[in-house]
Amino acid sequence: MKLITAIVQDEDVSHLLDSLVKAGFRATKVSSTGGFLRRGNSTVISGVEDHQVDTVIGIVKANCQTRTELASLPAFGGPMEYHMIQPVEVEVGGAVIFVLDMERHLRV
Ligand code: 2BA
């Protein structure tokens, strides 16, 4: 079995969960925060059989869009060594997916 962890944007998570459940998969949403943008995102975890991994990845792909976000990064410079906030565009998502081997899956 595999544990799929998908980090997705909050805007996409509701459709993603609907699609996973409709296709018969179990999933858990955990609220998370990106280390770079420090904005909320969602982490969806799902334990599946090996042969189901590509199906789940396909569902994630179909439901998660790539978006451009503005990140405010500190920039240093000038004669007075002042610093200012420099907006930088970063492309986020569709989804960042990790697939891990799962040793055991229990429901007790
Ligand atoms: P954040 O860390 O907030 O990153 C948001 C986006 O900012 C990233 O989109 C990427 O385009 C950019 N970015 C991140 N770190 C950067 C850096 N050091 N320098 C320049 N640009 C940077 P995605 O790659 O699509 O990642 C979306 C979210 O997925 C991330 O939000 C983070 O929460 C998670 N993530 C991505 N890669 C990860 C990894 N290797 N391990 C754990 N979480 C990861």
Side-chain angles (χ1 to χ4, degrees), residues 2-6 28 43-49 52-57 60 97-100 102:
K2 303 286 186 198
L3 183 67
I4 300 178
T5 301
T28 298
T43 299
V44 174
I45 56 177
S46 184
V48 302
E49 300 293 342
Q52 296 172 317
V53 168
D54 289 340
T55 305
V56 170
I57 289 174
V60 174
I97 303 171
F98 305 102
V99 181
L100 294 92
M102 183 164 46

Side-chain angles (χ1 to χ4, degrees), residues 5-18:
T5 301
I7 302 166
V8 307
Q9 295 172 73
D10 286 340
E11 293 90 332
D12 296 325
V13 73
S14 184
H15 289 305
L16 173 59
L17 290 174
D18 285 347

Side-chain angles (χ1 to χ4, degrees), residues 26-69:
R26 295 174 187 222
T28 298
K29 167 188 177 273
V30 182
S31 294
S32 45
T33 303
F36 188 68
L37 294 178
R38 308 289 165 93
R39 288 184 201 148
N41 54 25
S42 293
T43 299
V44 174
I45 56 177
S46 184
V48 302
E49 300 293 342
D50 289 12
H51 70 272
Q52 296 172 317
V53 168
D54 289 340
T55 305
V56 170
I57 289 174
I59 293 172
V60 174
K61 272 189 190 165
N63 283 278
C64 296
Q65 295 175 30
T66 300
R67 295 183 181 86
T68 303
E69 298 270 342

